[in-house]
Amino acid sequence: MATQAFEDIVEDFEFLEDWEDRYALVIEEGKAMDPLPEALKVPATKVEGCASQVWLHPRIEGGVFSFEGDSDAMIVRGLIAVLRRLYNGLPVDEVLRVDARAEMARLGLDEALSAQRSNGLRAMIERIRGVAAQAAA
């Protein structure tokens, strides 16, 4: 169900044995992502339920879902980049079929994130699913 971009990161994670290396890879993913323009960091794009500041700006063009995002925390920025690999480029109806928890578990993220980060990740996934559900309706 995951995109090829997400499968690529799963493959990268399989070669990393300890969590510190995986954590570093997540952070690198975030650093490689273009920052969200300041004009899009508004209350409507802010994700509540995250310990850090998080903004997601979804787009649906031609029935295809994508989003940009940003955070003031490097690890969260990296999680946004990983979620972009999971969801960007999927048809809107497929976004709702992605089992994000299971996909993220393939990376071992469920074991390594703090409770606050896990809650924030869930909040981001719920925002993405909510936008997709609204568009699919």
Side-chain angles (χ1 to χ4, degrees):
M1 183 90 225
T3 65
Q4 185 57 50
F6 187 78
E7 292 300 333
D8 291 345
I9 201 166
V10 168
E11 224 172 86
D12 291 344
F13 267 62
E14 287 172 355
F15 288 106
L16 303 174
E17 295 197 12
D18 66 20
W19 176 244
E20 285 182 29
D21 292 338
R22 291 176 178 208
Y23 209 69
L25 180 58
V26 169
I27 290 171
E28 285 305 311
E29 287 288 318
K31 285 181 179 178
M33 190 173 64
D34 289 335
L36 190 66
E38 289 299 318
L40 295 177
K41 293 180 180 179
V42 296
T45 62
K46 190 166 188 209
V47 178
E48 299 300 325
C50 298
S52 52
Q53 302 241 34
V54 177
W55 300 270
L56 299 181
H57 181 255
R59 289 185 312 273
I60 298 167
E61 296 173 2
V64 175
F65 181 85
S66 66
F67 76 95
E68 299 172 276
D70 210 343
S71 176
D72 60 351
M74 288 309 298
I75 187 63
V76 177
R77 205 173 139 70
L79 292 172
I80 292 167
V82 171
L83 287 174
R84 289 182 69 201
R85 283 181 175 246
L86 181 61
Y87 289 111
N88 280 5
L90 289 178
V92 173
D93 60 327
E94 284 186 31
V95 169
L96 297 172
R97 289 191 290 236
V98 171
D99 183 347
R101 289 183 77 176
E103 295 296 341
M104 298 302 269
R106 292 172 60 201
L107 302 178
L109 292 175
D110 53 338
E111 301 163 9
L113 294 177
S114 69
Q116 279 187 319
R117 294 278 185 246
S118 292
N119 288 339
L121 181 60
R122 262 192 304 281
M124 289 187 282
I125 292 166
E126 287 308 310
R127 171 68 67 88
I128 290 165
R129 291 180 55 79
V131 168
Q134 216 171 13

